[in-house]
Amino acid sequence: MTAGHVPDAALPGRAQRLVRPFGRLAWSIRVVGAEHVPTTGPVVLAANHLGVLDGPLVVTMAPRGAHFLVKREMFRGVVGWVLRTSGQIPVDRDSSRSGLEAARAVLRRGGVVGIFPEGNRGRGDGASVRAGVAWLAVQGHAPVVPVAVLGTRRTGERTGQVPGFRRRLVVEFGEPIAPQQAGSARESVRLTADLVAAALPAHVAEAATRHGVTLPSDGPATVL
């Protein structure tokens, strides 16, 4: 699948049915707040980013099939085959326009798009939010559901490390954030981005406290 290509709407749902049972066998997964994800219409899932399992975990456990934006470098070999056959969207970090346009097309047909607003794996506190998530929400007329992913990486673990067998993992969906409408598209995106930038870290922090799962204290610069 090339950047800009709109994936088949049925692919994520098929992947969920195949993979979800294995995920629950491998890890102790708790999913909270699934009722916050609208059952119909376009939705943007905005998740914090700790480690390599975050995307597969949210895609597998979301109440609806989701197409996540994934860096193009991951679409190689066996991993690339899995991403393509599960309907994920490649995005080029240097020129993300075609990936965003494919995601917008998914939203405009009433689908679900997932994105990591922080961009890179790290502490996963949601403190750094890029404008792409707000652009998708405004352009796709889609609410943004903040998603807290917890337990996929601990302090001292590599960002590419798969969590140990039966580790406790949490995926918590928060209250939807409506895209803002202002006098211009640029202002609408800015206002929406401000709301997401406030809501995501708050949701992650509250979920971490609620479930007793500590976020890692180190980032990718210190975890190799």
Side-chain angles (χ1 to χ4, degrees), residues 133-151:
V133 61
W135 185 87
L136 284 173
V138 171
Q139 291 289 320
H141 307 288
V144 179
V145 175
V147 185
V149 181
L150 305 171

Side-chain angles (χ1 to χ4, degrees), residues 29-97:
I29 302 172
R30 184 177 185 188
V31 179
V32 180
E35 69 277 7
H36 293 313
V37 180
T39 56
T40 60
V43 179
V44 177
L45 303 178
N48 63 316
H49 206 5
L50 296 164
V52 69
L53 193 65
D54 299 339
L57 184 62
V58 178
V59 167
T60 303
M61 296 299 159
R64 293 173 61 188
H67 303 269
F68 250 84
L69 287 159
V70 182
K71 63 181 180 180
R72 183 193 293 273
E73 292 84 353
M74 295 295 291
F75 284 78
R76 297 172 182 167
V78 175
V79 172
W81 178 84
V82 171
L83 291 171
R84 285 189 293 273
T85 56
S86 63
Q88 308 314 304
I89 301 172
V91 61
D92 192 325
R93 289 182 177 179
D94 295 325
S95 179
S96 61
R97 190 74 185 186

Side-chain angles (χ1 to χ4, degrees), residues 4-219:
H5 174 78
V6 184
D8 186 333
L11 292 178
R14 293 174 190 166
Q16 280 185 329
R17 290 190 292 273
L18 289 171
V19 177
R20 186 178 289 171
F22 295 100
R24 290 200 176 278
L25 283 173
W27 299 283
S28 175
I29 302 172
R30 184 177 185 188
V31 179
V32 180
E35 69 277 7
H36 293 313
V37 180
T39 56
T40 60
V43 179
V44 177
L45 303 178
N48 63 316
H49 206 5
L50 296 164
V52 69
L53 193 65
D54 299 339
L57 184 62
V58 178
V59 167
T60 303
M61 296 299 159
R64 293 173 61 188
H67 303 269
F68 250 84
L69 287 159
V70 182
K71 63 181 180 180
R72 183 193 293 273
E73 292 84 353
M74 295 295 291
F75 284 78
R76 297 172 182 167
V78 175
V79 172
W81 178 84
V82 171
L83 291 171
R84 285 189 293 273
T85 56
S86 63
Q88 308 314 304
I89 301 172
V91 61
D92 192 325
R93 289 182 177 179
D94 295 325
S95 179
S96 61
R97 190 74 185 186
S98 60
L100 287 172
E101 287 176 350
R104 178 175 61 178
V106 168
L107 294 171
R108 288 187 171 178
R109 73 181 181 204
V112 180
V113 167
I115 187 171
F116 295 112
E118 295 167 290
N120 299 310
R121 305 169 195 160
R123 295 188 62 181
D125 55 8
S128 176
V129 172
R130 299 183 180 184
V133 61
W135 185 87
L136 284 173
V138 171
Q139 291 289 320
H141 307 288
V144 179
V145 175
V147 185
V149 181
L150 305 171
T152 54
R153 188 174 74 80
R154 294 173 176 170
T155 300
E157 292 181 341
R158 293 174 287 108
T159 55
Q161 185 173 330
V162 176
F165 181 67
R166 298 306 298 167
R167 178 183 293 184
R168 185 164 68 99
L169 307 178
V170 176
V171 180
E172 181 166 329
F173 300 92
E175 295 276 357
I177 303 161
Q180 301 299 291
Q181 297 298 326
S184 67
R186 184 186 293 261
E187 182 65 7
S188 298
V189 169
R190 187 189 68 79
L191 291 173
T192 303
D194 287 346
L195 289 177
V196 176
L200 181 58
H203 175 61
V204 171
E206 290 165 6
T209 299
R210 190 159 39 245
H211 298 286
V213 180
T214 305
L215 292 170
S217 61
D218 50 4

